[in-house]
Amino acid sequence: MTDEWSSSEKKIARRVFDAALHRELAEVLQTFKAMAASASDPESMWSTEDFLSKSRREIDSKYDYRYSQLHVVFGRLLREGRISEEDLSGLSESKMNVILRIAAF
């Protein structure tokens, strides 16, 4: 899609990717704990399990650390407000252009 990832770009990408994934997992964990704490019947227990399954599928499909996919991953995270353009500072102009176009969808 675009040029190769330099060593410094790979470091930036790993830092941004890991931080975004960690924040999203922390959100899921917080929601899970609240749901589990308030579960008072089998229905609420199963809805908690459904929430976890759905969250895992979404996270597994969203966070793909292959360099060929990072443009899409970062575009989506940018669109969702999970990262900022400033977080990606240091990536090449061509990579940023692709990421910003994807974020605009």
Side-chain angles (χ1 to χ4, degrees):
M1 181 178 273
T2 61
D3 52 326
E4 294 293 316
W5 292 77
S6 70
S7 177
S8 64
E9 288 177 321
K10 288 178 180 181
K11 289 176 185 171
I12 293 165
R14 177 49 76 182
R15 178 181 41 78
V16 171
F17 182 95
D18 287 348
L21 177 57
H22 178 74
R23 285 189 302 270
E24 190 157 354
L25 288 171
E27 290 173 17
V28 170
L29 182 59
Q30 182 178 6
T31 302
F32 161 72
K33 286 179 178 180
M35 291 176 77
S38 67
S40 60
D41 57 29
E43 181 61 33
S44 56
M45 178 179 67
W46 296 128
S47 65
T48 301
E49 189 268 340
D50 290 342
F51 164 76
L52 282 176
S53 294
K54 180 180 179 221
S55 296
R56 181 168 191 163
R57 282 190 306 276
E58 288 176 1
I59 287 171
D60 286 347
S61 71
K62 183 189 308 187
Y63 290 90
D64 183 351
Y65 195 83
R66 290 179 289 168
Y67 294 112
S68 63
Q69 297 301 306
L70 286 178
H71 300 89
V72 175
V73 171
F74 290 151
R76 180 176 179 180
L77 294 174
L78 195 58
R79 183 177 58 245
E80 291 177 357
R82 296 198 172 276
I83 64 172
S84 68
E85 284 185 53
E86 294 79 32
D87 293 331
L88 301 171
S89 178
L91 297 185
S92 70
E93 184 177 344
S94 61
K95 286 182 184 70
M96 284 303 300
N97 287 338
V98 172
I99 291 166
L100 292 172
R101 281 198 311 268
I102 290 168
F105 282 116

